[in-house]
Amino acid sequence: MYLLKNALKSISRAKTRNILIVIIASIITISACIALSIRQSAETAREASIDQMKITAQISVDRQAMLKSVQSGDRTNVLRNIQGISLEEMLSYAKSGNVDDFYYTLTSSLNSDEATVPVDTSEVTESTEDLNTQFEGMGPGGSRRGFAGMGNQGDFTVVGYSSHNAMSTFMDGTCKVIEGSVFAEDTKEPDCLISDELALLNDLTVGDTITLINPNDEEETVVMKINGIYHNSEAAMSSGGDMMGFNAASDPANRIYTSYTALRAVVDNSEANAVVEVDETTGREISTALRGQEAGTYVLADATAYDAFQKDAEDLGLDTSIYAITSPDLDDYEQSMIPLERLSSYAAYFLLIVLIIGGAILVIFQVFAIRERKYEIGVLAAIGMNKRKVAAQFIAEVFIVTFIAIIIGTGTGSVISVPVANRLLQDQVQAVEVSQQTTMNNFGGGFEGRIPGGAGFLQGRMDGSGDADYISSISANVDIVVLLQLLFIGILLTLVSSASAIVSILRYDPLKILSNRS
Amino acid sequence: MSTFTLNNLCYSYGSRQRDVISNLNYVFEDSKVYSIIGKSGAGKTTLLSLLSGLVKPTKGSILYDGNDISKMDPYRYRSNYVGVIFQSFNLLPHLTAIENVVLSMDISGKKITGKKEKAQMLLNSVGLDDATAHRRILKLSGGEQQRVAIARTLSYEPSVILADEPTGNLDGETQTGIINIFQDLAHKEGKCVILVTHSPYVAQMSDMVYELAVKKD
């Protein structure tokens, strides 16, 4: 008890020095508090996001893996003969117990007849037919089975959904039916949804029909009935600098949605009536059939189920040297975490630097304090106070001062950590956005490659606008974990700064000190 | 009853140095005042340091109540059994006189009730009034500091009092007062009082005198 009493007396005796130590230790604590709050918030946000997230996954051709697995001379042929995964195969993997739901789409590209004008911002006056891009198995899944053989791209992208749940842009609110209603899930009728921009441009209303033409065969037409008109909230925002400036089919306003069954029937009918010719130059078959590309989406409960599904699919026969399971949700999630992860990483380095510099300053303070109090140590030891008790008193002094600093630092830190953390996070978001926008612009707006993020690289799936839903605000609260960490830091600083004092005290010979003094 | 028994006690500063103290075989008994005299360099203060456990003998031993003090816990030994009055007092200057005395009682670990009152009483008994007792050490004269040092030593009731030049800074009247205190401690309270002194007067007032001679190479 008297140790504590003596410690308090000693603290009050050396007010100036101890106030200075409190200020330094408070600055360390405030910095540590902010850094730890950021790290804790990042961890909480990470866990909360991943827990709440319903993960979707797709199976696609892993072109890179395929190309790597063959000799360099055969790579062109391998690329030409890539086979996308069939719906039957996708359905077989959906049997995995980890799959909550499975839905699929069929995407095709059609032209309009003269009566319907596509929304086209490309400012190209020539016939779109002249500018048509020829498909050659370059869909998102790398599927050749869908857009098999060479084919022309139309002005409209028609997507057939097996389920309303598959209509992710409607599910997340990006698109909304503003007139009429959605088509029935399993209807065979070519009922469709068109965008409000397309409807406005062509004076179309619910109940009207539009005639679409097979871009490979002008004689083949498809008449679709407008069941509803939707508004895409991102269509207007993303109208600058992406691929839609190059062709009409890339414009979200030219997307027509229908049921899978209806579009399947159209594509099947086209294939049945197609004319197949052999190109004299290349010797390859060219079909007039309407191209269609199928894609499946697996819905998984969480990240654990996603990992388990990967294993299940392999067990069920998925050739992982050709196909890869990817999750845009996880990619988006990782993308959204980039600024926060970066900030969290910076916070860790910052904390380390603050602790090293702060610790060094406190050590120097203690070294001088001990030299100053050498006589006191000598007297205490000479009158019978055990050196360990003398050391304990010094540790108590440092701890009391550090504890006061922790209280002040934690109080201040908890108040300023939220605005400071959010300010730093917004700076990070801005930095990442600028960096990614630069990358997007460099690629003409259609970049789908690797976006720099954090210490390494993360696969960044960018939509047409290049926008990612970053976490730009956190509630950097000082919770019990942060408090315990701060207390640990306080104890650590106390021990580190006291270490020199303890060593000195234990080495001091009281008689020598007193003799020198005399 | 013998308090200290010195058996062929030797001490040298460093292994190649000559012995400052060589083959001492003194006996110190309780209820007596001893004076250790000798010229400068004879080893008087060194003997006091040996008796107080601040240094260990290079040869021989010191027995305290039959126990070798080099095998005892030096801190417990100093804080409980012997009271040392240093030549330069070695009081803590940032504390008051009374706080210095109370601190010694705290360090001894003995259960003493009313430490402040006891400290006040001891300071009064060595001739310091209440106002002086509450002054910081730096504000006290050499004689007053000497008295505080004595009061501090008496506070935890050690059986041996070791004092290095206890009257060195005092005037004649105060000197007599202090010697009277030591005599009372020995003769009335049964303590063994060992004084290192140059003063013939102090030696004369002692029950027994040991004279140390300067060792020659």
Side-chain angles (χ1 to χ4, degrees), chain A residues 2 5-6 9-10 13 375-377 379-387 389 509-511 514 517-518, chain B residues 49 54-55 73 75-76 78-79 86 88-95 99 102-104 106-107 152 156:
Chain A
Y2 76 94
K5 201 168 68 183
N6 283 356
K9 270 184 194 166
S10 296
R13 197 175 77 227
Y375 171 69
E376 183 185 342
I377 296 164
V379 170
L380 290 171
I383 61 175
M385 186 166 174
N386 194 308
K387 281 183 185 175
K389 284 188 177 173
D509 177 359
L511 192 63
L514 300 177
R517 175 86 173 194
S518 299
Chain B
S49 297
L54 283 166
V55 289
D73 174 359
Y75 300 106
R76 183 166 170 72
R78 278 202 295 278
S79 64
F86 299 94
S88 53
F89 321 128
N90 291 344
L91 298 164
L92 292 174
H94 58 273
L95 300 182
E99 284 170 342
V102 169
L103 180 63
S104 275
D106 286 334
I107 289 171
R152 180 178 71 178
Y156 52 92

Side-chain angles (χ1 to χ4, degrees), chain A residues 153-300:
Chain A
Q153 185 178 356
D155 294 330
F156 296 98
T157 300
V158 184
V159 186
Y161 290 100
S162 69
S163 159
H164 288 158
N165 283 336
M167 301 171 76
S168 57
T169 51
F170 288 83
M171 293 293 284
D172 66 22
T174 307
C175 294
K176 189 179 178 185
V177 175
I178 54 170
E179 202 180 323
S181 64
V182 70
F183 47 83
E185 269 187 354
D186 54 354
T187 182
K188 290 178 183 174
E189 298 300 319
D191 295 340
C192 68
L193 291 175
I194 64 166
S195 74
D196 50 355
E197 287 180 53
L198 185 65
L200 199 62
L201 189 65
N202 294 283
D203 288 329
L204 295 169
T205 55
V206 173
D208 289 350
T209 57
I210 53 170
T211 303
L212 302 174
I213 300 171
N214 180 351
N216 305 313
D217 182 359
E218 287 183 4
E219 301 301 317
E220 188 181 323
T221 58
V222 180
V223 178
M224 301 194 88
K225 185 186 162 196
I226 300 166
N227 213 58
I229 294 170
Y230 70 87
H231 172 73
N232 184 340
S233 59
E234 286 187 353
M237 287 190 291
S238 60
S239 60
D242 63 15
M243 287 299 283
M244 76 177 71
F246 293 95
N247 60 63
S250 300
D251 197 308
N254 292 327
R255 283 183 196 150
I256 297 171
Y257 301 123
T258 186
S259 75
Y260 174 86
T261 315
L263 187 59
R264 182 79 261 168
V266 169
V267 172
D268 285 350
N269 184 51
S270 177
E271 283 174 354
N273 298 315
V275 176
V276 180
E277 292 174 354
V278 178
D279 189 303
E280 288 177 5
T281 317
T282 60
R284 300 179 67 196
E285 287 183 348
I286 299 172
S287 171
T288 59
L290 191 61
R291 285 9 176 218
Q293 184 182 22
E294 282 170 333
T297 302
Y298 300 89
V299 180
L300 306 147

Side-chain angles (χ1 to χ4, degrees), chain A residues 342-411:
Chain A
R342 259 193 205 181
L343 187 61
S344 176
S345 173
Y346 292 157
Y349 288 122
F350 175 67
L351 178 63
L352 196 65
I353 291 166
V354 164
L355 287 181
I356 291 170
I357 295 173
I361 293 171
L362 291 178
V363 166
I364 292 166
F365 260 97
Q366 288 307 319
V367 167
F368 280 102
I370 285 297
R371 288 169 71 92
E372 208 176 277
R373 296 173 67 183
K374 207 170 174 180
Y375 171 69
E376 183 185 342
I377 296 164
V379 170
L380 290 171
I383 61 175
M385 186 166 174
N386 194 308
K387 281 183 185 175
R388 278 175 295 197
K389 284 188 177 173
V390 178
Q393 183 189 312
F394 276 72
I395 293 171
E397 286 176 29
V398 178
F399 187 74
I400 290 166
V401 173
T402 311
F403 193 72
I404 292 167
I406 286 175
I407 292 169
I408 295 170
T410 307

Side-chain angles (χ1 to χ4, degrees), chain A residues 313-332:
Chain A
E314 208 173 331
D315 293 344
L316 287 165
L318 182 72
D319 187 348
T320 50
S321 66
I322 301 173
Y323 301 109
I325 299 174
T326 55
S327 170
D329 301 319
L330 278 180
D331 291 341
D332 289 346

